[in-house]
Amino acid sequence: MLSSQYDAIITNIAGSGFTGYYKKGINIKLSDNTTVINIWKPERCPYYNGEVYKDAIIEFSGNATNRFTYSDMKKIDQAIEAAIDFLNKENENLIDRDKDGTYEHVNAKQPETKKTSAIKYSDLEIGGVYLDDKQKKWLFLGKGTLLENGEQSNRSNDGLHFSEYIYMEYQEGKIEQIGVNQFKVSTFLHPDTYASKKRFFEKYCQLPIDSKIPISFASDSMIFQSCHGIKPVSYQEQIMNSERKI
């Protein structure tokens, strides 16, 4: 995990063997390299389409080797309780242990817009996560060709003029690095292309991405690739190129 994304990293939290990755006002992600437990504060856990869960949420994920003894579960419980204590030190948006939680979801509250100058497009870094004027997070993927399951998928109104600026909505806990320039993402997240440049006002974090090679994003059903610097090719150009090869 990237230390630059977190406000604090707590090793062996509560003697549990888990490491806690803390984001102020948002969550603590616990990991022992097999099991991941994400403790979200109220109104912070993403649901879908700009909504969040109203109450505190605890998410479990891991691989097929997740098996626990009773003593393991006691350590997990200790880690979760310590993480809640850590989050509640903020003295706002507290996790109430005595409240009966629900899975109700509400619109995410937008923080106050920071009045500042937009970052110059030339200063944006491929793989950087930036905030727009509504504090929404975007992963910047440069200008180039977007592939969906191997087929070009840049937006186009007429098949000749393409949207080449590539961005992807960024949500905490919904993107996981699995290799060099390779990421696993939630089903609802995928790169998209836009005809114009987005304006950003603050950098949130930087993902370890090499802009010289394609960047892959895989969900359960699709694989997207962002090919930075490679101009989209129209159907007519593809035909002409194939005729030149004959």
Side-chain angles (χ1 to χ4, degrees):
M1 296 183 181
L2 307 174
S3 60
S4 61
Q5 294 185 46
Y6 304 100
D7 294 299
I9 296 179
I10 311 142
T11 58
N12 195 27
I13 187 169
S16 64
F18 281 85
T19 298
Y21 299 87
Y22 167 65
K23 284 296 296 180
K24 184 177 180 180
I26 301 174
N27 70 329
I28 290 182
K29 182 184 296 183
L30 303 174
S31 174
D32 65 353
N33 295 321
T34 300
T35 302
V36 176
I37 307 167
N38 219 330
I39 299 98
W40 296 88
K41 300 195 78 171
E43 298 190 25
R44 292 295 183 267
C45 181
Y47 172 67
Y48 175 61
N49 199 26
E51 292 188 322
V52 292
Y53 287 98
K54 182 179 179 180
D55 294 320
I57 290 291
I58 300 176
E59 295 179 321
F60 279 76
S61 62
N63 56 40
T65 63
N66 272 316
R67 297 185 181 89
F68 308 106
T69 64
Y70 177 69
S71 59
D72 290 333
M73 293 304 299
K74 289 175 65 177
K75 289 181 179 179
I76 289 173
D77 183 60
Q78 292 169 6
I80 291 173
E81 293 298 332
I84 292 173
D85 287 340
F86 198 95
L87 289 169
N88 281 352
K89 287 180 181 179
E90 296 172 347
N91 290 323
E92 60 181 3
N93 199 21
L94 302 180
I95 296 175
D96 185 351
R97 289 180 168 92
D98 297 324
K99 179 181 179 180
D100 290 331
T102 71
Y103 294 98
E104 181 182 353
H105 36 92
V106 295
N107 289 327
K109 294 180 180 178
Q110 299 294 339
E112 292 183 8
T113 301
K114 295 184 178 180
K115 295 181 180 180
T116 183
S117 299
I119 301 172
K120 292 181 180 179
Y121 181 84
S122 59
D123 291 336
L124 299 179
E125 297 181 80
I126 306 297
V129 177
Y130 295 91
L131 303 179
D132 64 15
D133 59 344
K134 296 182 179 179
Q135 296 289 292
K136 186 174 182 179
K137 302 181 185 75
W138 293 92
L139 175 59
F140 173 64
L141 298 170
K143 181 180 179 181
T145 295
L146 180 65
L147 303 178
E148 180 179 347
N149 290 336
E151 297 292 331
Q152 182 176 294
S153 64
N154 291 68
R155 291 176 181 267
S156 173
N157 292 327
D158 56 10
L160 294 173
H161 303 92
F162 293 93
S163 300
E164 298 182 69
Y165 298 101
I166 308 174
Y167 304 89
M168 187 176 80
E169 182 181 346
Y170 181 85
Q171 293 184 6
E172 297 287 346
K174 300 299 183 182
I175 176 170
E176 175 187 0
Q177 186 175 8
I178 57 176
V180 177
N181 275 28
Q182 295 180 326
F183 298 87
K184 183 177 180 180
V185 297
S186 165
T187 303
F188 299 119
L189 294 181
H190 60 78
D192 203 352
T193 58
Y194 297 80
S196 58
K197 304 170 184 175
K198 289 186 177 294
R199 285 165 52 84
F200 299 122
F201 296 85
E202 183 181 347
K203 186 170 186 180
Y204 180 73
C205 67
Q206 176 71 38
L207 301 189
I209 285 177
D210 183 352
S211 63
K212 299 182 182 66
I213 58 178
I215 310 162
S216 297
F217 301 89
S219 66
D220 292 336
S221 58
M222 291 176 286
I223 296 177
F224 289 87
Q225 282 188 308
S226 171
C227 303
H228 175 241
I230 301 177
K231 185 178 179 181
V233 179
S234 68
Y235 179 73
Q236 288 85 346
E237 290 175 304
Q238 293 179 41
I239 296 296
M240 292 175 63
N241 290 336
S242 63
E243 290 176 346
R244 290 194 189 103
K245 293 178 182 179
I246 297 177

